[in-house]
Amino acid sequence: MRRRPGSRRNLNRVHTSSPLKRAAIRPEIQALRALAVTLVLLNHSWPVLAPGGFLGVDIFFVISGYLITGMLLREHRDTGRIRIARFYGRRARRLLPAAFVVLLACVVLTFLVVPRRQWDEFFVEIGASALYAQNWAQGLGPWTTSPENYDITPVMHFWSLSVEEQFYLVWPLLMVAVIVLAVRFWRNRVGLALLVVMGALSIASFTHAAVLVVSDGDLAYFSTFTRAWEFGIGALLAVAASRRAAASSALVVTRRALLTRQLVFWGACAVIVASVYLVVDDVRVAGWPALAPTVATAAIIWAADSGVPLGARWLVHAGPVQWVGDQSYSLYLWHWPVLLFVPFITGIPSPSWLMAILMALIVLLAWATRRYVEDPLRYGRGVARAAAVPATSVERRRQRWVTVGMGVVAIAIVGSSVAGAWVNLDERAARSECTGGSVVLRD
């Protein structure tokens, strides 16, 4: 006799949709973004509340590795290829407009409120940030060997954005190469080939980070090569999900497995919170200290790929949490310039009451940037229509003009930065000659 769907035999099985067929915006990932950017903001404004809040950057890296790899895998599954130029264009329209607005603001404010003796460090790093090489400017800069001569700049946080852009530049090319070789020489075992290559690269990167941090903590912290393993963790998770989805059109999860995922979810959340208070700010987090929060981030994504656990839905789906996740990129862009430039204007360190006002200003700037810069230049016709209507020839021309415009803005930022640094260096040289070789600069 056939059993009804609600019979005892079926009580221990739950059918959910494939991870690759779920909505592009996953609430648990938006919640992770909200957590990551909140940790960073707290660490930079009230460090006592989140002494290890800089680990939010590591969370972002895992998320990026997971999402970008999954997106490229879906494109290959649906079309049989990966369009590199299209990928680069989408990333540029997504990331560059807001970043260039912030960098232009930094250029103007540096000219207006920063003492001229600090222009060279400021403008060198602003130019490096516009070229997305800020991590190397900090890791290999001359001030890394004498930090007492180094001025904190408003674009120091662009080091992580530079690492991400370098990942976006190389990762699709690597995936295409592995896919081509797997199809030609390994009986089309694309998923397995990606797992092997990504796993090997991640292990090599982690080993390099653990070794380099002993001899050169600054370079180990900022280097792309020592951070690649964090993207790799997310990428490996995406490939594993893709292979599992390819084996079945629907993901079948037993109730025992759902309980396991719930325990993993909350356990991973506890690991991240513990890491924020156990990993102190004077430790260069490039190897072992970053392992726990990055693996925990991947565990949360894995545990929620069949749905957010019941006990966490009230928090993950909360409107403020999702809103902060949506604005996380702009919040990250604006927070450090605002916190750094205000003391130059007021002449004093920002007290707690002023810091609270600055947080509100950062939120306002982030919202305005998302509303009037990011979304219009990214979608043009509005979010709803962009998702459903193919781009017209007019839209494609607009996108090309947006790309050209961003190139012009990048040149302007780099040019003004070079000019500002040159003015300062020229003045240093002139005053050095006047003082017999010793440089004396006054505000």
Side-chain angles (χ1 to χ4, degrees):
M1 186 175 89
R2 294 181 61 187
R3 294 179 182 266
R4 290 177 291 112
S7 64
R8 178 179 295 274
R9 181 181 178 181
N10 293 292
L11 286 178
N12 66 336
R13 301 180 73 84
V14 177
H15 294 256
T16 61
S17 60
S18 164
L20 290 188
K21 295 181 180 179
R22 294 183 61 189
I25 298 178
R26 291 174 51 174
E28 70 276 9
I29 291 181
Q30 292 300 87
L32 278 171
R33 284 174 168 153
L35 172 64
V37 77
T38 300
L39 290 176
V40 172
L41 264 63
L42 288 176
N43 178 254
H44 288 165
S45 52
W46 295 284
V48 68
L49 297 180
F54 49 85
L55 292 171
V57 171
D58 304 85
I59 295 174
F60 277 124
F61 287 165
V62 176
I63 293 173
S64 293
Y66 177 79
L67 292 179
I68 294 304
T69 304
M71 181 179 68
L72 294 172
L73 287 173
R74 283 191 296 273
E75 182 179 4
H76 181 262
R77 179 201 63 189
D78 295 338
T79 67
R81 60 185 179 131
I82 295 176
R83 291 168 286 185
I84 301 294
R86 180 172 177 267
F87 171 83
Y88 290 156
R90 290 175 63 182
R91 288 294 89 195
R93 288 190 298 273
R94 167 68 179 91
L95 300 175
L96 299 189
F100 287 167
V101 166
V102 173
L103 290 175
L104 281 175
C106 290
V107 169
V108 173
L109 288 172
T110 298
F111 277 119
L112 293 178
V113 303
V114 177
R116 185 167 293 185
R117 69 172 185 271
Q118 296 175 263
W119 279 12
D120 48 356
E121 287 96 349
F122 275 50
F123 282 121
V124 164
E125 292 202 6
I126 291 173
S129 297
L131 297 174
Y132 285 93
Q134 166 70 344
N135 60 316
W136 295 109
Q138 289 187 245
L140 299 175
W143 42 82
T144 57
T145 56
S146 54
E148 67 277 0
N149 297 324
Y150 177 63
D151 293 308
I152 297 176
T153 72
V155 294
M156 290 182 67
H157 62 315
F158 265 79
W159 77 266
S160 62
L161 302 177
S162 299
V163 172
E164 286 211 29
E165 285 294 333
Q166 292 157 27
F167 167 76
Y168 296 150
L169 182 66
V170 174
W171 202 249
L173 298 175
L174 175 64
M175 287 186 62
V176 169
V178 173
I179 290 171
V180 169
L181 292 175
V183 170
R184 186 166 185 178
F185 299 109
W186 204 1
R187 299 179 182 178
N188 205 29
R189 297 176 180 174
V190 172
L192 183 58
L194 288 171
L195 286 176
V196 170
V197 172
M198 292 177 181
L201 290 176
S202 298
I203 293 173
S205 171
F206 180 82
T207 303
H208 175 52
V211 172
L212 184 61
V213 73
V214 177
S215 58
D216 192 337
D218 286 310
L219 183 57
Y221 189 81
F222 295 116
S223 171
T224 308
F225 304 115
T226 58
R227 294 289 181 169
W229 67 272
E230 299 179 35
F231 296 96
I233 288 177
L236 288 168
L237 181 61
V239 175
S242 174
R243 284 169 56 84
R244 184 181 58 201
S248 175
S249 59
L251 178 63
V252 180
V253 183
T254 65
R255 295 197 180 278
R256 180 176 297 179
L258 285 177
L259 177 60
T260 300
R261 288 171 182 261
Q262 193 159 12
L263 293 175
V264 168
F265 182 92
W266 288 112
C269 290
V271 168
I272 292 177
V273 172
S275 298
V276 170
Y277 294 97
L278 293 178
V279 179
V280 295
D281 202 3
D282 59 351
V283 174
R284 284 303 188 187
V285 184
W288 291 105
L291 184 61
T294 50
V295 172
T297 300
I300 290 173
I301 297 173
W302 172 82
D305 70 356
S306 56
V308 178
L310 290 175
R313 288 179 186 175
W314 66 272
L315 177 62
V316 170
H317 290 272
V321 172
Q322 293 295 305
W323 189 89
V324 172
D326 291 340
Q327 317 297 323
S328 59
Y329 178 57
S330 292
L331 286 169
Y332 186 81
L333 282 174
W334 278 112
H335 85 281
W336 196 239
V338 170
L339 296 178
L340 258 292
F341 278 119
V342 166
F344 283 103
I345 298 172
T346 63
I348 59 172
S350 299
S352 294
W353 65 266
L354 179 56
M355 196 68 73
I357 296 176
L358 296 183
M359 286 295 111
L361 175 60
I362 291 167
V363 170
L364 178 61
L365 289 170
W367 170 83
T369 303
R370 175 69 183 266
R371 175 66 177 81
Y372 298 107
V373 178
E374 286 189 59
D375 287 347
L377 292 180
R378 184 183 181 188
Y379 298 113
R381 298 164 300 181
V383 177
R385 289 195 62 208
V389 182
T392 63
S393 58
V394 174
E395 182 67 17
R396 286 193 291 269
R397 285 198 298 271
R398 186 195 66 82
Q399 291 177 354
R400 284 195 290 268
W401 279 112
V402 168
T403 303
V404 171
M406 289 189 294
V408 172
V409 173
I411 293 172
I413 294 172
V414 174
S416 59
S417 299
V418 170
W422 180 264
V423 167
N424 193 38
L425 291 175
D426 189 55
E427 181 172 329
R428 282 179 185 266
R431 294 194 180 189
S432 178
E433 292 178 2
C434 294
T435 58
S438 60
V439 179
V440 178
L441 287 177
R442 296 182 177 85
D443 297 347

